[in-house]
Amino acid sequence: NSSSASVTMFVSPQPVEATDDAFWDQFWADTATSVQDVFALVPAAEIRAVREESPSNLATLCYKAVEKLVQGAESGCHTEKERQIVLNCCRLLTRILPYIFEDPDWRGFFWSTVPGAGRGGGDEDDENARPLAESLLLAVADLLFCPDFTVQSHRRSTVDTAEDIHSIDSCEYIWEAGVGFAHSPQPNYIHDLNRTELLKLLLTCFSEAMYLPPSSDSSNTNPWVQFFCSTENRHALPLFTSLLNIVCAYDPVGYGIPYNHLLFSDYREPLVEEAAQVLIVTLDYDSSTSSSPTVDGTTTGTAMDDVDPPGPDNLFVNYLSRIHREEDFQFILKGVARLLSNPLVQTYLPNSAKKIQFHQELLVLFWKLCDFNKKFLFFVLKSSDVLDILVPILYFLNDARADQSRVGLMHIGVFILLLLSGERNFGVRLNKPYSVRVPMDIPVFTGTHADLLIIVFHKIITSGHQRLQPLFDCLLTIIVNVSPYLKSLSMVAANKLLHLLEAFSTTWFLFSAVQNHHLVFFLLEVFNNIIQYQFDGNSNLVYAVIRKRNVFHQLANLPTDSQSIQKGLQRKKKTPEPISRTNSQDGVSMEGSRPAAPAEPGTLKTSLVATPGIDKLTEKSQVSEDGTMRSLEPESSQPPPEDNPPPAVSDGEPWSGEASHPRRDRRRLSSASSSGQWTPTPDWVMSWKSKLPLQTIMRLLQVLVPQVEKICIDKGLTDESEILKFLQHGTLVGLLPVPHPILIRKYQANSGTAMWFRTYMWGVIYLRNVDPPIWYDTDVKLFEIQRV
């Protein structure tokens, strides 16, 4: 094969002249190659050898390959031969770029101008002085709208002169109907394959970010993304729209015919995956450092709002933040919900529907949409369509809870729910009855979407992987945020909440880490919100509180002397009391569900940076009488030292010493202070015990317990339905303390989460691109690759 021959020659330390076309052309002249062939023919060791031993040859090869792409873009690729050359250069650059990025000395190479190489040297016009990276990116953008290569030609006759690629208005060639474009072009699988190869190269260009260590300085923008998404790229708008529409219009079910996906290879799916990955990378933008890209312009006839000020320089972020038409929001939301629900689609024929694998990219995309476009967020929450996003997220959270390789998925699912829970409408929507029966490994219950959320969160906390502990604050914050709006909890969910309180208020847990008591405060806030604002429909919860009243009495009488503190901690040493399922009456799991499985040994995963604590992630807002929210400025700029949770540890580090008895310890709550630097003192316990918000619950118990006991004695009752009936008709009007104002902890953008999203997103992209393995075995710095 000529390619393998030329690769060996290319390694020769002898520099080959850039003008020696016969030599260089061998690299792209082959007719029948695929990207997989190129990866097989050009081994990593040889690329590194050329980089070290004949750098000028590597430089020339890159330069010549880019030149070929530029020529293809100029000519419009009218012949089969030209198209083949373009595709082969594309594959070769996809193969070589990661090895350029991994070497700091080479990293600037594409941003330098190549002085007159192969152009006779004399005629340095402006075009020649462009950095190689810019020429490459502009050529790829042009090629993505090249008639008869990546888009349908609009010319009727063949006699007509070929369309001039520079006079093309690429907005007429958007790939799919949807946002800002009504015409759905005839699918053409050759065009889809060519687009996929070009997008793969684009993604590889952007992946320079993987070779820089994570830094809290979010200002270091990716130069490749920055240029590609700037006004220099005349195709920025149609390309953004094409990528978004291709993803949101995709329906993997194969036109409703079972097993259809087995009959013909779905050539659209690889394109959709590539489009989703390119989209989330171009939208990697830290909204906390800039004026928010969210804008409220006047509604105009166009798909994008006309705005002043112009918004961020990154045009993709800019366009995303300016989408405003209801029908566009509907199209995006329906598309994302349809794809997220795909793994849940249960048919009576196993494997009859195609299962997609890119749900993590979709969750990042959904996050970006809500974060950058507040109008979209409000649209999502305006109707019960938000539940079509909620249910798949809860499904993924429940399914991944025991699998340490999917800790990142757990985080993004929880972040999205935290963002949604900051809006009142989300809590209100949760009251809709839950009737969809997606098989999930949770107890059977009859109730609302709020019940589903609480039951899944309980499952994550009691039987999730130990590394999820930093998320407990977030999970409970979400429940606090929605609690004032929950009209009627089921008995199953009510019991789960009390079971959590029971587990979190044991002395060993409260005394074993500096921030553990926060969890009790969150739960008490949930009970107070429901009792004060939704007492009428919540007899199940009130009954559960009465049954478990001893938990509240124990909290009120929590000992604070040194001896009791030590005794509480001793108890922990004897039995690392698990938050077990034993006393939570789990009952039967749903039919057809499989238990959440841990990661298969040997599974690859990528490390994540630490996420900020809940106090950094959120800011408190108070809900006033008329339902509007106002931000509460923190009373003091620094919280007292004992309230500062220790920084969460990255996924590479377990929260405490790795468990020696994985079975028993998987569920135990580890203490953050395994290093033993911190010890609880009587003053410390007093400082927060005195603030426990127990008044409302104590008053409720004081009023209702004697009445319930009287009914039981009078009627000789052991049947709870009579007691529930009594509680349903009871009232506490005028008996409870004055209702406290509702506090909502709203997510706020910060550079910590921006960095977390960057490492998570690139980790997902790294692991998902295995055929060909673009970045595998290169010296990536943004995260570590670990085996389970």
Side-chain angles (χ1 to χ4, degrees), residues 9-10 12-20 23-24 54 56-57 60:
M9 288 158 60
F10 149 64
S12 76
Q14 254 38 64
V16 181
E17 283 299 313
T19 46
D20 182 355
F23 174 79
W24 297 109
S54 35
S56 72
N57 283 354
T60 308

Side-chain angles (χ1 to χ4, degrees), residues 392-443:
I393 289 178
L394 291 176
Y395 172 85
F396 292 128
L397 290 178
N398 188 58
D399 189 55
R401 67 179 192 263
D403 181 343
Q404 57 167 308
S405 70
R406 289 156 80 194
V407 168
L409 169 63
M410 299 292 296
H411 276 75
I412 185 164
V414 172
F415 284 158
I416 289 174
L417 298 182
L418 180 65
L419 180 70
L420 294 175
S421 75
E423 307 297 333
R424 172 182 177 272
N425 263 353
F426 182 64
V428 173
R429 298 282 161 241
L430 290 179
N431 290 309
K432 189 176 174 182
Y434 176 68
S435 50
V436 201
R437 285 287 167 250
V438 176
M440 284 166 79
D441 171 28
I442 53 171

Side-chain angles (χ1 to χ4, degrees), residues 297 647 675 685:
S675 51
V685 179

Side-chain angles (χ1 to χ4, degrees), residues 320-381:
L320 184 80
S321 67
R322 284 165 47 194
I323 298 171
H324 64 98
R325 291 200 294 217
E326 295 257 318
E327 60 269 36
D328 290 340
F329 287 157
Q330 190 59 31
F331 164 75
I332 294 171
L333 180 57
K334 280 272 180 276
V336 173
R338 175 177 60 241
L339 292 169
L340 284 178
S341 312
N342 162 273
L344 290 61
V345 175
Q346 288 301 320
T347 56
Y348 295 103
L349 308 163
N351 305 325
S352 63
K354 180 167 189 149
K355 291 261 185 285
I356 60 157
Q357 302 297 322
F358 56 99
H359 49 272
Q360 300 193 86
E361 293 91 324
L362 286 165
L363 289 170
V364 176
L365 177 60
F366 183 76
W367 169 269
K368 300 276 180 200
L369 281 157
C370 293
D371 196 20
F372 294 160
N373 190 323
K374 287 295 170 266
K375 288 184 173 176
F376 177 74
L377 175 64
F378 298 143
F379 176 84
V380 169
L381 292 165

Side-chain angles (χ1 to χ4, degrees), residues 20 50 76 212 250 281 300 310 375 413 417 427 472 525 548-549 582 588 721:
D20 182 355
V50 179
L212 303 169
Y250 178 55
V281 169
T300 55
K375 288 184 173 176
L417 298 182
F472 289 2
E525 208 177 321
K548 293 283 185 188
R549 56 190 178 275
T582 45
V588 191
S721 62

Side-chain angles (χ1 to χ4, degrees), residues 226-482:
Q226 192 175 8
F227 179 80
F228 191 77
C229 299
S230 73
T231 48
E232 294 272 350
N233 177 0
R234 69 190 184 100
H235 304 293
L237 177 60
L239 189 57
F240 167 75
T241 316
S242 294
L243 295 172
L244 185 61
N245 292 354
I246 276 281
V247 172
C248 295
Y250 178 55
D251 186 353
V253 178
Y255 310 101
I257 306 164
Y259 297 105
N260 207 4
H261 67 286
L262 301 177
L263 305 179
F264 62 92
S265 133
D266 179 357
Y267 50 84
R268 183 53 52 113
E269 190 184 16
L271 173 62
V272 175
E273 290 205 359
E274 215 67 54
Q277 292 178 359
V278 168
L279 203 48
I280 60 176
V281 169
T282 51
L283 295 169
D284 177 20
Y285 178 86
D286 180 359
S287 58
S288 68
T289 55
S290 61
S291 57
S292 164
T294 303
V295 287
D296 291 317
T298 49
T299 303
T300 55
T302 59
M304 307 298 162
D305 262 349
D306 288 337
V307 287
D308 245 353
D313 296 338
N314 176 327
L315 290 179
F316 279 38
V317 175
N318 197 330
Y319 296 144
L320 184 80
S321 67
R322 284 165 47 194
I323 298 171
H324 64 98
R325 291 200 294 217
E326 295 257 318
E327 60 269 36
D328 290 340
F329 287 157
Q330 190 59 31
F331 164 75
I332 294 171
L333 180 57
K334 280 272 180 276
V336 173
R338 175 177 60 241
L339 292 169
L340 284 178
S341 312
N342 162 273
L344 290 61
V345 175
Q346 288 301 320
T347 56
Y348 295 103
L349 308 163
N351 305 325
S352 63
K354 180 167 189 149
K355 291 261 185 285
I356 60 157
Q357 302 297 322
F358 56 99
H359 49 272
Q360 300 193 86
E361 293 91 324
L362 286 165
L363 289 170
V364 176
L365 177 60
F366 183 76
W367 169 269
K368 300 276 180 200
L369 281 157
C370 293
D371 196 20
F372 294 160
N373 190 323
K374 287 295 170 266
K375 288 184 173 176
F376 177 74
L377 175 64
F378 298 143
F379 176 84
V380 169
L381 292 165
K382 199 169 75 173
S383 74
S384 53
D385 288 351
V386 64
L387 303 175
D388 299 336
I389 300 283
L390 170 75
V391 172
I393 289 178
L394 291 176
Y395 172 85
F396 292 128
L397 290 178
N398 188 58
D399 189 55
R401 67 179 192 263
D403 181 343
Q404 57 167 308
S405 70
R406 289 156 80 194
V407 168
L409 169 63
M410 299 292 296
H411 276 75
I412 185 164
V414 172
F415 284 158
I416 289 174
L417 298 182
L418 180 65
L419 180 70
L420 294 175
S421 75
E423 307 297 333
R424 172 182 177 272
N425 263 353
F426 182 64
V428 173
R429 298 282 161 241
L430 290 179
N431 290 309
K432 189 176 174 182
Y434 176 68
S435 50
V436 201
R437 285 287 167 250
V438 176
M440 284 166 79
D441 171 28
I442 53 171
V444 180
F445 72 97
T446 305
T448 65
H449 284 75
D451 294 308
L452 177 68
L453 179 132
I454 288 167
I455 291 166
V456 169
F457 283 12
H458 172 269
K459 201 83 172 175
I460 294 167
I461 291 171
T462 57
S463 66
H465 193 271
Q466 203 181 314
R467 297 217 171 125
L468 299 180
Q469 196 164 354
L471 279 178
F472 289 2
D473 277 348
C474 270
L475 292 168
L476 293 187
T477 299
I478 293 165
I479 300 180
V480 173
N481 282 348
V482 300

Side-chain angles (χ1 to χ4, degrees), residues 703-720:
V703 174
L704 292 179
V705 171
Q707 298 181 351
V708 169
E709 284 177 338
K710 186 171 184 309
I711 296 177
C712 293
I713 294 163
D714 291 355
K715 303 199 174 171
L717 278 186
T718 47
D719 175 23
E720 56 183 46

